[in-house]
């Protein structure tokens, strides 16, 4: 059964050329090594050296100035090749995009080129033990020290912190206002501990014990942290990452069913389910494309981003659950640890899908955001 990429580029177009260029790089042995170690930094460096790691950024910061929809080709190809993709999401799509849109020129020039060439990496330090959905109650403190600040507090659920050079960190300053800092993670005052979990990429707890952050490493203005984070969260909620994962998992199931086609009669439940999910994937692709186009125009609103995040993560979870149900009678060997992630994307899907409905804002919070914005706008809310 055919299943479409986000955009089916005709041959001899710049987007197809970009996809081919990325595919050539992802055919290298570096990819197998990244899957085995869960450390994709060498893949990032290869993509960065070719200038395709952040193609949507302006050339002066190491990008190619292409649209967000064109740049989605990279995210699709990382998923299609089973490269651990979250370091890219964190570094380029969240930390990098935040700097691109909200930092001053000096800060952009200092950090973006090294994120774009794969020689430096970022992670996100927002959540705390008592502050997740309600980030506004966070308690990490930024205490003035000369021209800079020293940070004290504990951040949790951070992915890829040990590989990152800088963490985008929200903290409360001496005026009790939320300020956004780009914290150095490789020096004094930082302790990073892994937290056990079921996913392939480990969570970490980060204890900030007086780490020094210079005045140059405040993103935007002091006290603007909350406004910037609301914008940042929209970058995280385009739905692109979840959509490409759902597509990857769907294809793995479809390939499996096709190779066992002799067991299935047309019209059987599995075929109907394949068609139903295929239709929903097409709808999700359309939604994501629209959101990315709005992002390009700097018009992406909180409401659309929440809808895209909710729809794509529910769909990805549905595909993963269906794979689990099929496992029983199709012998797909899910749950076999020896196949974990390295060779079997569906095994990882089962462990990754629940977290998708939580990270970057839970499913309930996305629905709450939609309801609130609809009510605020005075729109009719149908039951
Ligand atoms: C895979 C993954 C990766 C992550 N990566 C990072 C990272 O890199 N950096 C980082 O800082 N954090 C990260 N997080 C943390 C994530 O942002 C939080 O887990 C999330 O915001 C939820 O916060 P919480 O876990 O404290 O749950 P809580 O906020 O305590 O929520 C618990 C439950 O209550 C519900 N709930 C809460 N408030 C409401 C409400 N007002 N209305 C209705 N229901 C509500 C929630 O939906 C949820 O079901 C990650 C999480 C996951 C799963």
């Amino acid at each position: 059964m055919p299943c479409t990429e986000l955009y089916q580029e005709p041959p001899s177009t710049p987007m197809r050329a970009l996809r081919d260029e990325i595919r050539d790089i992802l055919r290298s042995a570096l990819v197998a090594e990244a899957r085995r170690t869960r450390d994709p930094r060498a893949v990032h460096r290869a993509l960065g050296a070719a200038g395709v790691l952040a193609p949507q950024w302006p050339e002066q910061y190491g990008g190619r100035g292409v649209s967000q929809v064109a740049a989605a080709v990279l995210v699709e190809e990382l998923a299609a090749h089973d490269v651990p993709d979250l370091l890219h999401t964190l570094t380029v799509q969240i930390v990098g995009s935040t700097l691109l849109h909200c930092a001053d020129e000096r800060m952009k020039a200092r950090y973006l080129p090294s994120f774009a060439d794969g020689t430096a990496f970022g992670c996100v330090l927002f959540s705390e033990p008592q502050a997740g959905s309600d980030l506004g109650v966070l308690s990490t403190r930024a205490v003035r020290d000369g021209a800079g600040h020293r940070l004290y507090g504990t951040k949790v659920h951070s992915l890829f912190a040990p590989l990152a050079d800088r963490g985008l960190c929200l903290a409360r300053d001496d005026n009790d206002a939320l300020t956004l800092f780009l914290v150095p993670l490789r020096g004094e005052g930082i302790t990073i501990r892994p937290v056990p979990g079921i996913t392939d990429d480990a969570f970490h707890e980060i204890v900030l014990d007086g780490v020094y952050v210079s005045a140059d490493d405040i993103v935007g203005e002091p006290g603007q942290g909350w406004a910037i984070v609301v914008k940042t969260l929209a970058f995280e909620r385009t739905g692109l990452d979840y959509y490409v994962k759902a597509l990857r998992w769907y294809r793995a199931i479809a390939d499996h069913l096709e190779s066992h086609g002799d067991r299935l009669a047309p019209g059987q439940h599995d075929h109907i389910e394949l068609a139903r999910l295929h239709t929903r994937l097409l709808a999700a692709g359309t939604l994501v494309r629209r959101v990315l186009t709005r992002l390009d125009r700097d018009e992406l609103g909180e409401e659309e981003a929440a809808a895209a995040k909710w729809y794509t993560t529910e769909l990805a979870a549905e595909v993963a659950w269906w794979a689990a149900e099929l496992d029983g009678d199709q012998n797909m060997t899910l749950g076999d640890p020896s196949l974990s992630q390295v060779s079997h994307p569906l095994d990882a899907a089962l462990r990754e899908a629940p977290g998708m409905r939580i990270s970057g804002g839970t499913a309930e919070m996305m629905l709450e955001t939609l309801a609130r914005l609809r009510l605020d706008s005075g729109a009719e809310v149908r039951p």
Side-chain angles (χ1 to χ4, degrees), residues 124 126-127 132-133 156-159 203 355 358-360 362 364-365:
V124 173
F126 290 169
S127 306
S133 299
V156 291
H157 305 316
S158 181
L159 294 174
F203 287 119
I358 299 172
S359 62
T362 66
E364 292 80 11
M365 291 310 292

